[in-house]
Amino acid sequence: MEKLSSNAEIHFIDTGNSDAILIIKDNKAALIDGGDNDDEALVSSYIKKQGISELEYVFATHPHADHIGGLDRVAKEIKINNLYVSNGEADTKSYRDFINEAANKGLYPSVPLLGSKFDLAGSTFEVLSVANTNDPNNNSIVLLYTNGNDKILLMGDAEKEIEQKLNIRDVDLLKVGHHGSHSSSSKPFIDKINPEYAVILVGEDNKYGHPHAEVVDRLQAMGSNIYATAESGTIMVATDGVNYTVNGKEA
């Protein structure tokens, strides 16, 4: 029996066709992305409802509004200790609002170094990609979250070009890149990482047709257990370092 202190929770918050992921371990918490502009109240209140008043880390994977739109409210209402952003400039209102609110709180975001590791109560985030291309999706901060023997790969919106460069094999859970778009989750990549579980953050009947059928088929062929926020709402994954429980409806 694993000791209780090794338990971690990964909350894939249902914000529709956008990303917001809260990870909690021993009352320490990290947030990866913050939903879209109209999700800001939802994301901030969800974090508070978990009893979290302080975030050890916030990773804004890349500057698209569907990943950083709600972070200005989070920065305003919840204490952030370390703020990380991707490479590249973004002259959008959503990004300016986020950066301005962070600055109001004395936060100065930095780009994490490739290969750098961040401790969260004995679990670890490792930065697998922090590219500097002309495509914000491919600049996504890609993170491997490890708790005990459990490995969770958080792809942001990184696409095939980045997948080819990642030095990673055999993960337990994949946060599917780019909401299940066929621009990500290539067959060689899925074959290489062989995820037991796959979580897709996606809005119901969204205009992009996410998740694309070939991605779902590819994951099913690999034998992955697939969960999507469109069907399940918020998905909560608990890991004790060895075993998983998933609170969601398998797709």
Side-chain angles (χ1 to χ4, degrees), residues 131-224:
N132 195 356
T133 72
N134 293 324
D135 180 355
N137 286 335
N138 281 334
N139 290 348
S140 289
I141 300 172
V142 175
L143 295 166
L144 180 67
Y145 176 68
T146 304
N147 182 51
N149 293 320
D150 292 337
K151 291 182 164 54
I152 296 172
L153 182 58
L154 305 167
M155 290 296 297
D157 278 358
E159 299 183 343
K160 293 169 189 171
E161 297 84 349
I162 298 300
E163 293 173 353
Q164 292 166 9
K165 297 175 181 175
L166 293 183
N167 183 22
I168 179 77
R169 289 192 174 279
D170 290 333
V171 302
D172 299 285
L173 188 149
L174 170 68
K175 195 294 291 188
V176 175
H178 203 180
H179 317 286
S181 169
H182 54 56
S183 58
S184 304
S185 305
S186 61
K187 185 177 187 303
F189 179 63
I190 297 301
D191 287 349
K192 183 169 72 167
I193 64 169
N194 187 20
E196 186 178 350
Y197 300 93
V199 173
I200 305 173
L201 297 176
V202 65
E204 202 173 357
D205 299 327
N206 64 83
K207 65 182 179 182
Y208 306 102
H210 294 156
H212 292 144
E214 57 260 56
V215 170
V216 175
D217 291 348
R218 202 168 285 151
L219 289 163
Q220 284 175 334
M222 182 55 69
S224 301

